[in-house]
Amino acid sequence: MASSLTKDSASMSGAEKTFFGHPRGLATLFMTEMWERFSYYGMRALLPLYLIAPDGLHMNPATATAIYSVYVSLVYLLAMPGGWFGDRVWGPRKTVAVAGAVIMVGHLTLALPMQGTFFAGLGLVAIGSGLLKSNISTMVGHLYDGPDDARRDGGFTIFYMGINVGAFAAPLAIGTIGENVNWHLGFALAAAGMGLGLLQYMLGTRHLNERSHIVPKPLSAAERASTLRKGMIWLAIAAVFYIITVVTGVYTLNWILVPITVAGLVIPVMVLVRIKRDKDLNVTEQSKMSGYIWFFVAAAIFWMIYDQGGSTMAIFADSSADNSIMGWNFPVSWYQSVNPVLIMALAPVFAAFWLALNRRGKEPSTIVKFSSGLVLVGASFFLFLMPLTIATDGHKAAAMWLVAIYFVQTVAELTLSPVGLSVTTKMAPAKYASQMMGVWFLAVTAGDCTTGLLSIAGIDLNGTGVVTLQAALAVAAGVAIFMYRNKVKQLMGDVR
């Protein structure tokens, strides 16, 4: 598969195969990530639709949104322990191999037509995704000669294109099969996609850098025993607790959803507080962390709205949109391909635009870009009010309304997300340099858990009042960051 994407070029050590001028191992990681994202986004496109479908689990929209939000938040929450496993236990290469197998088994479990196995499958996919997410990016970095390698940024750009290729193709293939043929066959197709990615990975591991074999900071025997003991104790406590709730007949789905959503809000706060209170940080690092908290809270608001594109908006499309263009009907899951195709089309445009402004000395600062992204994602939900208003008394909203919302959200993402990743690495204290990317992911967790709690509380997220409130909150956050930009700049120190 990947061999067709390689070409011969000369290198300093002689003729060797490269991948668009990059190390051959990038092809292995590109294809692995592409197929993993194919399986992940394909299943994610089906998830809320299957949960509400009469021939699916036939849940109400609020419960479906809660489950979807908790699942997405769990994937990002588990990215930190996933990175820890790569650093302390297995090393990145082995961790990714195990993760791929867990994800594939998870999708196969989803394909079984039983409710119990369905939720077990969701858990397995979340665990596998958390293990894979941080470690595969680490291995991309291993392919290059340190941060100063001129090819490094280009390599990550190619790698992230694999994410969007997989995310674009997944709803078209998996969504079509799942909605039009059989839900569980769609989930099985997601498993097949991960299987192809795992096969590609195992065949191409010889092209990866030897550093990916190494466990950077292996646990000592005492640490391993202590970690295992603590893990088993917490597992036993959880098992006993849930056995009691089932035996006494008080168990409901909320006994799972509520603890996860609360944890998804509490853990990010605890992590930020722990870093902020670390006495090893100097005054400059403390100041930067204070500034970073502004970005973190704003990012949580951003992702709270943005990730509803796969839940709140998908459920609205299923019930209240005319999902056709010029008389041609298409599956609801296809809306989830709009964002990745727009990302691929617009990302080069944005990169060229920022570069052109930079040459003229007019490129907006990090704070201005970030606040603009928040205002835009808020504007997307103000735009959402139009189809919500149209879809009353049996009327259906045109599909292009939803496409327009996804377009605005994509522009917002391109304005905020790359800036958020960049500012996270720039403002990270030296002691936490390798952990801060996981902290950024926790902003996604916090945002999705907020959505989950609202849904668990029975709030209709497709209501015009709630949509207006969320839109206003995002715009207000963006305006607040802009108005206090001088204070935030002072906290950021030399970061711009």
Side-chain angles (χ1 to χ4, degrees):
M1 287 177 285
S3 59
S4 64
L5 298 173
T6 60
K7 58 181 180 179
D8 291 329
S9 66
S11 69
M12 293 180 66
S13 60
E16 66 174 21
K17 286 186 176 182
T18 64
F19 181 65
F20 297 117
H22 291 266
R24 173 64 179 79
L26 185 61
T28 297
L29 299 177
F30 174 95
M31 296 295 288
T32 304
E33 180 74 356
M34 185 193 76
W35 282 114
E36 188 273 329
R37 292 291 89 181
F38 174 86
S39 70
Y40 172 77
Y41 282 105
M43 184 277 285
R44 212 171 90 160
L46 285 183
L47 180 57
L49 305 177
Y50 172 73
L51 291 173
I52 64 173
D55 58 340
L57 296 187
H58 205 190
M59 295 179 173
N60 62 64
T63 302
T65 300
I67 292 171
Y68 176 93
S69 301
V70 167
Y71 165 71
V72 174
S73 70
L74 199 56
V75 168
Y76 288 95
L77 183 63
L78 292 173
M80 284 193 77
W84 181 87
F85 259 88
D87 285 343
R88 307 296 310 272
V89 183
W90 289 330
R93 189 180 298 193
K94 181 178 179 180
T95 303
V96 168
V98 173
V102 172
I103 292 169
M104 184 175 66
V105 171
H107 286 301
L108 288 172
T109 307
L110 287 171
L112 300 174
M114 293 176 284
Q115 183 168 323
T117 54
F118 179 81
F119 288 108
L122 280 183
L124 287 170
V125 175
I127 291 169
S129 298
L131 286 170
L132 184 140
K133 196 165 187 64
S134 299
N135 289 286
I136 196 167
S137 296
T138 298
M139 287 195 291
V140 174
H142 286 165
L143 297 172
Y144 300 95
D145 297 325
D148 296 328
D149 191 320
R151 302 171 299 168
R152 186 182 178 93
D153 286 352
F156 272 98
T157 300
I158 293 172
F159 175 72
Y160 285 118
M161 286 299 290
I163 293 174
N164 287 292
V165 170
F168 168 70
L172 304 181
I174 295 173
T176 302
I177 295 297
E179 286 191 65
N180 295 343
V181 181
N182 181 274
W183 297 109
H184 298 284
L185 189 59
F187 295 131
L189 183 58
M194 188 65 254
L196 287 172
L198 186 58
L199 176 63
Q200 166 71 32
Y201 180 74
M202 299 306 293
L203 292 175
T205 49
R206 66 185 184 278
H207 299 296
L208 301 177
N209 191 286
E210 286 302 312
R211 282 185 294 167
S212 66
H213 264 311
I214 300 171
V215 181
K217 300 176 183 177
L219 292 171
S220 65
E223 288 176 319
R224 187 180 293 270
S226 175
T227 301
L228 183 61
R229 183 174 63 255
K230 290 176 182 177
M232 293 304 294
I233 289 172
W234 282 108
L235 184 61
I237 291 172
V240 170
F241 175 79
Y242 283 106
I243 288 172
I244 291 173
T245 61
V246 171
V247 171
T248 57
V250 300
Y251 176 81
T252 66
L253 194 57
N254 283 347
W255 283 98
I256 292 288
L257 297 179
V258 172
I260 295 176
T261 51
V262 171
L265 292 172
V266 172
I267 290 174
V269 173
M270 291 175 61
V271 170
L272 288 172
V273 169
R274 179 174 63 85
I275 296 175
K276 186 70 179 68
R277 297 178 64 181
D278 191 333
K279 296 187 183 302
D280 289 342
L281 304 189
N282 59 40
V283 174
T284 301
E285 290 175 326
Q286 286 281 1
S287 177
K288 288 181 179 179
M289 279 306 301
S290 296
Y292 184 75
I293 289 172
W294 282 73
F295 293 105
F296 184 92
V297 173
I301 295 172
F302 176 89
W303 295 115
M304 177 186 71
I305 293 177
Y306 181 89
D307 276 349
Q308 288 183 61
S311 55
T312 302
M313 288 177 58
I315 291 171
F316 171 82
D318 186 58
S319 62
S320 305
D322 177 14
N323 303 308
S324 65
I325 296 178
M326 300 177 64
W328 175 68
N329 296 313
F330 58 87
V332 175
S333 53
W334 282 24
Y335 284 112
Q336 303 310 308
S337 288
V338 174
N339 172 260
V341 75
L342 288 174
I343 288 286
M344 290 187 285
L346 295 178
V349 176
F350 268 72
F353 179 63
W354 297 137
L355 184 60
L357 289 179
N358 182 268
R359 287 170 178 166
R360 299 177 186 177
K362 296 181 178 180
E363 183 180 5
S365 66
T366 294
I367 296 173
V368 172
K369 289 179 182 177
F370 211 89
S371 60
S372 298
L374 276 166
V375 171
L376 283 169
V377 83
S380 76
F381 258 35
F382 278 126
L383 184 59
F384 190 21
L385 293 173
M386 293 300 296
L388 285 173
T389 303
I390 292 169
T392 55
D393 300 324
H395 296 292
K396 296 281 187 178
M400 292 310 295
W401 280 114
L402 297 179
V403 173
I405 296 167
Y406 286 119
F407 174 81
V408 175
Q409 290 185 345
T410 301
V411 173
E413 179 187 4
L414 288 169
T415 305
L416 181 142
S417 186
V419 174
L421 291 168
S422 177
V423 80
T424 297
T425 58
K426 290 177 181 178
M427 297 176 71
K431 182 177 179 179
Y432 296 97
S434 62
Q435 299 178 41
M436 283 299 288
M437 199 55 68
V439 175
W440 171 253
F441 289 145
L442 288 179
V444 186
T445 297
D448 283 313
C449 282
T450 302
T451 301
L453 279 178
L454 292 173
S455 300
I456 291 169
I459 296 173
D460 179 11
L461 295 178
N462 272 318
T464 55
V466 177
V467 170
T468 302
L469 183 61
Q470 292 180 85
L473 178 63
V475 171
V479 171
I481 287 181
F482 182 78
M483 290 180 64
Y484 287 89
R485 62 190 180 279
N486 291 331
K487 178 179 180 179
V488 178
K489 281 181 182 177
Q490 289 177 352
L491 294 171
M492 291 171 68
D494 57 353
V495 175
R496 290 291 178 264

